[in-house]
Amino acid sequence: MRISTKGRYALRTMLDLALHNTGTPVRSKEIAARQEISDKYLEQIIAVLNKAGYVRSVRGPQGGYLLTREAGEYTVGMILRLTEGSLAPVECLDDNPGNCDRSDDCVTILVYRKMNEAVNNVIDHITLADLVGWKLQKEGDYSI
């Protein structure tokens, strides 16, 4: 499994919004500069996040973007699935698992299920709040 730039940038954008969550909107140009993402590509990513209700836009001269929930309510899995779709290692584990002609005799599916469970266990239990905490620890600031 490989996460695309869209998924990585969406996660970085959400983390940036969580880190700069002061109650005032964060401008996309500021996020783009801090995260080294082109303005145009960031706008595409924010449009996806906005449509899903993960962020909301505030128009006007003091406008920008805000998270719609607390950082602890977003998991890495939510954000990655929004931008990446299924993260299953093989197609037969996607939403319609009965698609495979070999599913009755397939033994390797057990490996793929274990891989899928392991990935989901990690990404569904790490929140934006966890990432904020890790970022602050990395910077030497232990308060959240």
Side-chain angles (χ1 to χ4, degrees), residues 53-98:
Y54 289 12
V55 301
R56 80 177 163 94
S57 66
V58 177
R59 298 198 181 271
Q62 303 302 316
Y65 297 92
L66 295 163
L67 296 177
T68 58
R69 302 179 229 169
E70 295 296 317
E73 296 180 48
Y74 299 96
T75 66
V76 170
M78 289 169 60
I79 298 162
L80 291 180
R81 284 187 197 92
L82 176 66
T83 55
E84 300 292 316
S86 173
L87 297 173
V90 290
E91 191 175 331
C92 58
L93 289 177
D94 283 340
D95 294 333
N96 195 1

Side-chain angles (χ1 to χ4, degrees), residues 116-134:
N116 196 42
E117 288 170 11
V119 168
N120 288 333
N121 190 42
V122 171
I123 64 176
D124 290 337
H125 291 94
I126 297 174
T127 68
L128 271 185
D130 295 327
L131 295 177
V132 167
W134 295 344

